[in-house]
């Protein structure tokens, strides 16, 4: 039994629906109402224009210069090509999902409160060599490259971005996963003093995502440290985020502090909030609608264009094999 929270987005077109506008499990709603913690979840911000504010697109927050700046731009890996133009940086950096800093799209104006140095990433769980990496030490031990990737948000907008980073597999190799490890669980920072939405107990913070070990080993699974030829600005999920271009964007978790190898399938932030709408796999598929809108087309960020969505967001050649024998699973939500 589901209850829908009615908000301004009810009047919006399907393509502008946002995942925060979830149907809530009745029990969760009742529990929260009883505890007095229920509030209306944020409405989608219908103002789509890129903010033209100074500094929105820069990697610098006016604080100390980024210590990794000299690593950029990294050499572009020509294996990753696009079927469309790159999204303008001004758009990609002023239209973001980063719920920790707000449920609207203009989080860039708040995300610069995030201190991205010092920053440590713990890699633990079912590994032979658990480790804590200071971000700049990690950057010194990997080889950065630039990849042009498409990105498809479950809300039916898309962009094409030049990410800089390194394959997730390169990090996992350093800690030597044990054979019992079947999944990789990712966790974002949790700092309510800095991230205002983390003060709202309604949400199951911290943001969590997960992959199978086979997905994590796929060459497309990319850990991002930079974008547009420089260190990533905080709203992109600095200093370390995932890019999983064949999956809906919510799988590409931002500002990672912990990566845990496990034999348990992780329950993600969105799955916990709306299990009837968001699943573990979340592979892009135009033929499988979201319960509240079609996934057949996407709005191309920064343009008037509406494009047909591609199965696996066009990356089927690289990833379709990961899902053979899993036809009984909810692979596309
Ligand atoms: N920690 C965290 N990671 C997150 C999100 C978030 O709210 N918090 N939003 C996700 C969603 S829904 C999308 S579409 C992408 C957006 O990435 P972008 O802002 O760089 O376009 O980040 C994903 N990663
Ligand atoms: Mo998204």
């Amino acid at each position: 039994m589901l209850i829908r929270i009615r908000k301004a987005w009810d009047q919006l077109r399907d393509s502008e629906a946002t995942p925060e506008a979830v149907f809530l499990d009745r029990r969760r709603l009742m529990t929260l109402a009883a505890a007095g913690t229920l509030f209306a979840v944020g409405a989608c911000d219908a103002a789509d224009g890129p903010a033209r504010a100074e500094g929105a697109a820069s990697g610098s927050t006016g604080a100390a210069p980024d210590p990794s700046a000299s690593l950029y731009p990294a050499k572009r890996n020509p294996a990753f090509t696009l079927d469309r133009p790159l999204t303008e940086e001004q758009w990609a950096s002023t239209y973001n999902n980063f719920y920790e800093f707000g449920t609207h799209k203009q989080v860039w104006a708040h995300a610069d409160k995030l201190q991205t140095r010092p920053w440590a990433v713990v890699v633990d769980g079912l590994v032979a060599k658990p480790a804590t990496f200071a971000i700049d030490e990690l950057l010194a031990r990997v080889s950065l490259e630039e990849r042009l990737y498409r990105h498809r948000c479950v809300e039916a907008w898309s962009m094409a971005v030049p990410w800089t980073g390194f394959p997730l597999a390169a990090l996992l190799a350093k800690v030597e996963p044990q054979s019992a490890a079947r999944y990789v669980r990712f966790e974002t920072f949790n700092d309510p003093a800095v991230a205002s939405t983390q003060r709202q107990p309604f949400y199951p913070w911290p943001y969590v995502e997960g992959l199978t070990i086979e997905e994590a080993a796929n060459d497309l699974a990319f850990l991002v440290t930079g974008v547009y030829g420089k260190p990533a600005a905080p709203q992109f999920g600095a200093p370390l985020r995932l890019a999983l271009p064949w999956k809906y964007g919510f799988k590409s978790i931002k500002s990672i502090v912990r990566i845990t190898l496990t034999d348990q399938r992780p329950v993600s932030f969105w799955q916990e909030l709306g299990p009837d709408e968001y699943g573990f796999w979340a592979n892009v598929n135009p033929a499988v609608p979201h319960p509240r809108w079609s996934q057949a087309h996407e709005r191309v960020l920064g343009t008037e264009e509406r494009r047909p969505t591609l199965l696996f967001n066009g990356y089927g050649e690289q990833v379709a094999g990961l899902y053979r024998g899993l036809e009984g699973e909810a692979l596309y939500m």
Side-chain angles (χ1 to χ4, degrees):
M1 173 66 81
L2 298 166
I3 280 184
R4 183 175 187 173
I5 292 194
R6 302 189 71 80
K7 273 298 261 180
W9 48 262
D10 279 345
Q11 280 90 55
L12 298 174
R13 285 184 287 118
D14 281 350
S15 63
E16 291 169 341
T18 59
E20 85 272 15
V22 290
F23 291 82
L24 295 172
D25 170 85
R26 177 183 281 271
R27 180 178 302 152
R28 181 173 176 85
L29 187 69
M30 297 315 250
T31 310
L32 290 165
T37 55
L38 186 66
F39 57 93
V41 290
C44 168
D45 195 311
D48 275 357
R52 291 284 164 190
E54 286 287 305
S58 101
S60 142
T61 62
D66 189 299
S68 67
S70 65
L71 302 174
Y72 298 86
K75 195 167 184 297
R76 183 172 293 178
N77 183 334
F80 301 93
T81 54
L82 292 174
D83 57 350
R84 61 195 73 178
L86 279 174
T87 300
E88 264 181 64
E89 180 181 359
Q90 196 55 242
W91 272 95
S93 55
T94 58
Y95 186 94
N96 301 90
N97 275 332
F98 200 168
Y99 273 64
E100 286 82 343
F101 294 101
T103 54
H104 49 79
K105 294 290 184 275
Q106 279 72 48
V107 289
W108 63 268
H110 308 283
D112 65 353
K113 291 196 195 76
L114 183 65
Q115 296 291 324
T116 58
R117 295 295 188 287
W119 190 277
V121 183
V122 176
V123 190
D124 64 359
L126 299 173
V127 298
K129 295 182 171 169
T132 300
F133 298 94
I135 188 69
D136 293 300
E137 278 167 33
L138 180 60
L139 286 172
R141 290 179 55 192
V142 294
S143 164
L144 292 184
E145 62 183 66
E146 184 177 74
R147 296 184 178 188
L148 309 185
Y149 271 6
R150 293 183 291 274
H151 173 99
R152 171 60 158 80
C153 177
V154 74
E155 299 160 354
W157 57 267
S158 70
M159 61 179 185
V161 205
W163 299 121
T164 303
F166 55 94
L168 172 59
L171 175 60
L172 297 184
K174 294 187 195 307
V175 295
E176 298 178 15
Q178 296 169 3
S179 57
R182 294 188 55 211
Y183 297 97
V184 188
R185 180 184 184 277
F186 303 85
E187 198 177 289
T188 295
F189 74 88
N190 191 12
D191 187 356
V194 163
S196 59
T197 322
Q198 290 186 329
R199 285 172 229 144
Q200 303 184 352
F202 167 81
Y203 294 97
W205 306 114
Y207 199 99
V208 166
E209 261 306 337
L211 293 173
T212 64
I213 201 90
E214 294 80 14
E215 291 177 319
N218 189 278
D219 185 43
L220 276 181
F222 199 53
L223 277 168
V224 166
T225 59
V227 61
Y228 294 100
K230 57 195 177 220
Q235 66 269 30
F236 283 109
L240 192 72
R241 66 159 306 161
L242 268 180
L244 304 165
W246 74 100
K247 291 183 176 283
Y248 290 118
F250 65 86
K251 299 288 298 183
S252 293
I253 184 173
K254 295 180 169 182
S255 303
I256 297 166
V257 294
R258 185 176 213 122
I259 300 177
T260 305
L261 289 272
T262 162
D263 55 4
Q264 307 287 312
R265 184 179 289 188
V267 177
S268 75
F269 176 86
W270 283 110
Q271 215 180 339
E272 176 112 20
L273 270 175
D276 298 313
E277 304 203 352
Y278 307 103
F280 170 76
W281 299 98
N283 296 308
V284 175
N285 188 338
V288 178
H290 182 276
R292 289 182 286 120
W293 59 85
S294 165
Q295 295 291 23
H297 291 87
E298 62 203 50
R299 200 161 50 85
V300 181
L301 189 60
T303 74
E304 299 294 310
E305 206 187 341
R306 199 168 161 268
R307 293 182 74 107
T309 287
L310 306 170
L311 180 61
F312 295 115
N313 202 24
Y315 295 97
E317 205 180 306
Q318 293 96 318
V319 299
L322 291 168
Y323 307 105
R324 268 179 217 124
L326 293 172
E327 288 76 15
E329 300 259 339
L331 290 174
Y332 306 106
M333 68 170 270

